[in-house]
Amino acid sequence: MTPALRLASVSVVRDGHRILDSVDWTVRTGERWAVLGPNGCGKTTLLRVASLYLHPSTGEVEVLGERLGRLDVRRHRTRIGVASQAFADLLRADLTAAEVVLTAKHAALEPWWHTYEPADREAAVALLGRMGVGALAGRRFGTLSSGERQRVQLARTLMADPELLLLDEPTAGLDLGGREDLVRRLGALAGDPGTPATVLVTHHVEEIPPGFTCALLLRAGRVLAAGPIETTLTPDTLSACFGVPLQLEVAGGRYRAWAT
């Protein structure tokens, strides 16, 4: 089957600094990937390349069977669900939660750029309900808490029936209750056969939901390890990734790490 995402020898260089260095990575249909690494290792840049918002300095990028440089980026982005704090910052604060979700149908930032049917608005509200924030459909995005905004963003990623989900630290800034609620919802998505290939970027193994199948560990812009999560995410690879001796345990599909 055609991979959902393929990066071949991808490097990103900015101001002489190599943010990504010769990254080879393939995400296949149905896989759920957790991408881990320390601050500044290139995780967010990797997702910007995968979401077609950043062209690499060198290498090839294929998303959903089409190569970057040979496709209509604006149209292709409608096939990708993206959630990140950087993207949330682009959204106008006085849009309602329902409008934020609605705009994803055309990969837009403003609802007045396109025409929407009543069924589209109903679908947006239904997705908010699926994420547990249906009652907030009419609330302004800028008035929502961090956890509420994260749930709205997650609902937004599903609006256009995407074929690839890219989630950049969706639990960042949440308290324990908010984090666990969102991890539970992400776990439910991971366990749904109808959910497309999914990539989740995080700093913490505790935020990896049950049902994730693969792991990619980045350090200094290079792939340290990649493959099935049960063989890739180990105390040795995690310690090498973060540069400190770590222990790792898994119980009930959830991970926990601590320094030795």
Side-chain angles (χ1 to χ4, degrees), residues 71-220:
L71 53 82
D72 182 337
V73 171
R74 289 175 297 179
R75 178 172 297 179
H76 214 61
R77 284 177 188 152
T78 64
R79 302 173 65 188
I80 308 169
V82 181
S84 72
Q85 185 55 53
F87 187 84
D89 291 342
L90 299 175
L91 295 165
R92 188 157 45 88
D94 61 353
L95 291 178
T96 66
E99 287 172 333
V100 166
V101 175
L102 188 66
T103 57
K105 182 177 181 180
H106 299 290
L109 293 174
E110 291 285 351
W112 50 266
W113 292 356
H114 301 90
T115 301
Y116 300 93
E117 302 296 328
D120 295 327
R121 299 182 185 277
E122 292 172 4
V125 173
L127 286 170
L128 288 169
R130 184 177 178 185
M131 294 299 117
V133 287
L136 304 179
R139 285 269 302 276
R140 303 296 174 185
F141 188 64
T143 68
L144 302 180
S145 70
S146 295
E148 290 166 344
R149 287 196 297 269
Q150 297 288 45
R151 291 177 182 83
V152 171
Q153 277 212 81
L154 192 56
R156 189 182 191 279
T157 65
L158 302 174
M159 179 64 194
D161 292 325
E163 298 164 66
L164 175 64
L165 284 182
L166 304 174
L167 311 176
D168 189 5
E169 299 186 51
T171 59
L174 301 186
D175 60 24
L176 179 60
R179 184 192 77 178
E180 288 303 298
D181 180 75
L182 196 57
V183 167
R184 178 177 60 84
R185 295 180 188 279
L186 290 171
L189 282 176
D192 184 348
T195 299
T198 302
V199 176
L200 168 73
V201 165
T202 181
H203 290 107
H204 307 291
V205 297
E206 291 81 4
E207 296 174 355
I208 300 174
F212 270 61
T213 61
C214 305
L216 173 74
L217 276 62
L218 278 179
R219 183 170 177 82

Side-chain angles (χ1 to χ4, degrees), residues 1 10 12 20 36 43 48 75 92 94 105 114-115 149 195 224 229 231 245:
M1 296 179 66
V10 165
V12 173
L20 292 178
L36 295 109
K43 301 187 300 299
R48 290 188 64 202
R75 178 172 297 179
R92 188 157 45 88
D94 61 353
K105 182 177 181 180
H114 301 90
T115 301
R149 287 196 297 269
T195 299
L224 181 68
I229 196 167
T231 56

